[in-house]
Amino acid sequence: MPLRTARFFLFLLAPAFAAGCIFGKDLKEVLAEHRAPVEAKLANVKALKEQARALPAVSSDVVHIAGGPAPVVSWSGGTVGVNAAIVYLEDLDNLTELGNVPHRVSATGTINRCASALATHREPYDAAHPQSAPPTMSSYRADEVLDLCQALRYLLVIRSLAFVEPSAPRTSTACSLYDAGVGDGGAGDAGASDAGTCHRFDGGYLKADVLVFDVESGSHLGGFGFVAENSAMVDVTDDGANVKGEIAGNFHRNIEEALKAAARKALPGLPTED
């Protein structure tokens, strides 16, 4: 029986493999197709670094889009009509690498993936996770990210103005819903146990602004700010395992949601590819 099963699957997979060889583009072809236009866009992005670093903090949430298409941001990997990319200011120091940014928003990194694909044929090195070796980028993945960079019109640069990492959890007996987020210097509650104890923590905090640029002209179009914190109460696994990780995950999700809400408020007509 195992032998017959193996033969069946080999027969089934063979046509798909052959089709991939006939119709697919290899990585070398993908890079050659995109290199010139993407390198031009990356040069424009690199030229914005010092302007982004020097601009004063955003004082009003206003972005002026005139004479061009509306920005389209991908929050979760979509590509249709996307013409805007989100980066952290730290990402602009070396475009082939991701800056050392904790709790990174998943919608960021496209610019660095394009630069890394052209330079190393790999995903970008992530300074926040130095133990992880960047994997090789497939031809399909490279084609996808390079298409996004080739279509780039707007750049949204996140600048962190104040940041506090969530504290390690500690055991407490102040576990009521009323107490959560009030006692222990504003600490949150990470779940109570049957014994009447719970984990308390000092919540994470991020204050940031986002500068919006026209990549083609180098113009600063305005910006907006956002603030994110841990929730006052964080739901954790029943056995309390990895409480610190679940606190970090809650902070991460709240950062993403705060950024999305602020972007859509500053740009009311902002289409988003979800």
Side-chain angles (χ1 to χ4, degrees):
M1 182 62 71
L3 181 60
R4 291 176 61 190
T5 302
R7 284 176 176 169
F8 173 75
F9 278 109
L10 286 173
F11 174 77
L12 191 65
L13 289 173
F17 176 77
C21 292
I22 293 170
F23 299 111
K25 294 183 288 187
D26 64 24
L27 184 59
K28 183 178 179 180
E29 291 173 317
V30 169
L31 297 180
E33 176 184 334
H34 290 285
R35 184 175 295 277
V38 171
E39 284 184 341
K41 288 292 176 74
L42 294 178
N44 289 350
V45 168
K46 191 173 182 179
L48 294 172
K49 181 179 74 170
E50 294 308 320
Q51 185 181 174
R53 194 184 305 277
L55 281 167
V58 173
S59 57
S60 58
D61 296 344
V62 178
V63 180
H64 298 285
I65 305 294
V72 181
V73 174
S74 173
W75 298 113
S76 55
T79 60
V80 178
V82 172
N83 63 2
I86 307 173
V87 299
Y88 287 88
L89 182 60
E90 292 87 342
D91 294 337
L92 300 181
D93 288 335
N94 181 346
L95 294 187
T96 65
E97 299 181 0
L98 296 172
N100 189 1
V101 176
H103 310 289
R104 171 178 291 274
V105 173
S106 58
T108 64
T110 298
I111 297 298
N112 307 85
R113 291 185 182 96
C114 290
S116 184
L118 293 175
T120 70
H121 305 176
R122 293 179 175 273
E123 293 284 342
Y125 169 78
D126 188 348
H129 302 281
Q131 71 280 6
S132 300
T136 301
M137 192 175 293
S138 69
S139 59
Y140 176 83
R141 174 67 166 161
D143 199 28
E144 181 181 60
V145 299
L146 291 170
D147 271 342
L148 290 172
C149 285
Q150 193 164 326
L152 183 67
R153 176 64 183 268
Y154 302 104
L155 189 70
L156 283 65
V157 182
I158 302 173
R159 300 190 306 183
S160 299
L161 304 177
F163 175 78
V164 177
E165 188 76 41
S167 72
R170 57 187 179 273
T171 302
S172 173
T173 56
C175 303
S176 70
L177 290 174
Y178 176 80
D179 287 332
V182 177
D184 291 348
D189 182 359
S193 72
D194 293 337
T197 62
C198 60
H199 293 97
R200 303 297 302 276
F201 65 98
D202 298 312
Y205 175 84
L206 172 66
K207 180 180 181 181
D209 59 19
V210 180
L211 305 174
V212 182
F213 295 94
D214 185 313
V215 173
E216 293 183 2
S217 67
S219 302
H220 173 224
L221 305 177
F224 55 91
F226 70 95
V227 172
E229 301 178 84
N230 270 109
S231 302
M233 176 171 282
V234 177
D235 187 20
V236 299
T237 56
D238 291 340
D239 60 3
N242 194 25
V243 175
K244 186 175 181 180
E246 299 194 42
I247 292 170
N250 171 264
F251 187 35
H252 183 191
R253 289 188 295 273
N254 288 356
I255 290 172
E256 291 202 344
E257 291 305 314
L259 172 60
K260 288 181 183 180
R264 288 166 173 155
K265 183 177 179 181
L267 293 161
L270 177 70
T272 57
E273 179 66 29
D274 287 326

